[in-house]
Amino acid sequence: MKKLEGKTALITGGTTGIGLATARLFAAEGAKVIVTGTNPASLEAARKELGSAAEVIASNAGSRADIEKLANDFRARSISLDVVFFNAGVAKFGSIAELDEAVLDETFNVNFKGPWLAIKFLAPLLKRGGSVVFNTSVNNRLGMPGSSAYAASKAALRSLARTAASELAPAGISVNAVSPGPIETPLYGKLGMSQDQVKGFSEGLIGKIALGRFGRSDEVAKAALFLASDDSSFMTGEEIVVDGGLTSL
Ligand SMILES: NC(=O)c1ccc[n+]([C@@H]2O[C@H](COP(=O)([O-])OP(=O)(O)OC[C@H]3O[C@@H](n4cnc5c(N)ncnc54)[C@H](OP(=O)(O)O)[C@@H]3O)[C@@H](O)[C@H]2O)c1
């Protein structure tokens, strides 16, 4: 029996990296998958790669108008959701001295305010027994230099998982988080660092990971599947760390 047979799953930011790997896995487990993203080239590439396994929609996870439009569109099409994986996220690194204030606003918009608004507008479309999964980050409890905007947005998201879990429990909906350590994805090309800086940063991180390597997107997708499926039926408000031992060894 497939783990998501007959279920409908929305994955925000499902066009590349962890979201795309999760879309592939959820579809393979029988789900009807809907993914969102903003970059036209990535949207097109995801459409080609996922084919009939998923519907790929242009929708900005940090825009209230887009989130409301998505919810209204689902309502008009009588789509109700069993699973939502809040995966869309942005990361720009730089010291507090150097980072532009606009980066803080954009990071909080996409990584925290968007999911907060989406809970508000999409929760009525979630079925009893449904699962919400947030993609947080080990940065939500680290003081890594350069991570101030990103880390704080993910700590806020971790907090939201707890509050949303208690508010949605009466409706029979679980809310949990998966917290990845360093995972090899296109994210590292978007940090606002030069290639050399990213290389140095990555080598420094690998030295701290007990398993001695970056993780793969599919390794996070499997944890997201566990939280999205009935396998985690007695879990809510929790966070699973997938970091090769970075933060606890
Ligand atoms: N890679 C890691 O080491 C790591 C570690 C911990 C946590 N995470 C988290 O994992 C999640 C996925 O990241 P990733 O590593 O897979 O990076 P990624 O390949 O850059 O994926 C980010 C995804 O989010 C989408 N996205 C970004 N801004 C969006 C917006 N405003 N609206 C809708 N979609 C948006 C991107 O699509 P478009 O570009 O088309 O918008 C893309 O599909 C993020 O939340 C990230 O913080 C990653």
Side-chain angles (χ1 to χ4, degrees), residues 6-227:
K7 310 239 168 167
T8 301
L10 169 67
I11 300 175
T12 68
T15 53
T16 62
I18 296 167
L20 180 62
T22 307
R24 269 191 228 110
L25 182 61
F26 282 12
E29 288 293 339
K32 173 184 172 341
V33 179
I34 302 164
V35 310
T36 66
T38 59
N39 180 303
S42 309
L43 286 162
E44 199 40 47
R47 254 177 220 122
K48 281 209 180 93
E49 160 145 18
L50 294 168
S52 60
E55 181 180 355
V56 180
I57 299 176
S59 181
N60 184 344
S63 153
R64 177 188 172 124
D66 278 16
I67 295 162
E68 275 197 272
K69 186 166 173 285
L70 199 63
N72 288 338
D73 177 47
F74 290 163
R75 207 168 279 115
R77 294 162 63 197
S78 302
I79 292 175
S80 49
L81 301 168
D82 299 281
V83 175
V84 182
F85 182 35
F86 287 111
N87 171 75
V90 289
K92 286 264 184 311
F93 275 40
S95 69
I96 298 167
E98 290 161 349
L99 209 63
D100 198 292
E101 188 184 334
V103 171
L104 188 72
D105 291 339
E106 170 67 2
T107 306
F108 265 81
N109 256 344
V110 177
N111 293 4
F112 173 71
K113 191 174 171 191
W116 185 88
L117 286 165
I119 290 277
K120 190 181 198 55
F121 294 116
L122 293 175
L125 300 174
L126 270 161
K127 288 187 199 157
R128 177 162 282 276
S131 305
V132 173
V133 183
F134 289 114
N135 193 341
T136 55
S137 166
V138 291
N139 282 109
N140 69 17
R141 55 199 179 103
L142 294 176
M144 190 184 286
S147 72
S148 61
Y150 181 69
S153 72
K154 293 295 189 176
L157 192 61
R158 172 67 186 99
S159 167
L160 179 62
R162 287 196 184 90
T163 315
S166 59
E167 291 189 9
L168 296 181
I173 295 161
S174 69
V175 183
N176 291 290
V178 58
S179 176
I183 308 297
E184 207 170 326
T185 73
L187 191 83
Y188 288 83
K190 306 173 189 171
L191 292 174
M193 295 178 176
S194 69
Q195 275 190 349
D196 278 351
Q197 283 173 321
V198 172
K199 193 165 172 278
F201 178 63
S202 302
E203 284 168 0
L205 277 173
I206 287 174
K208 294 178 184 160
I209 300 170
L211 294 183
R213 63 173 175 88
F214 268 43
R216 298 185 313 269
S217 290
D218 67 287
E219 293 174 312
V220 181
K222 286 178 203 165
L225 173 63
F226 172 72
L227 294 173

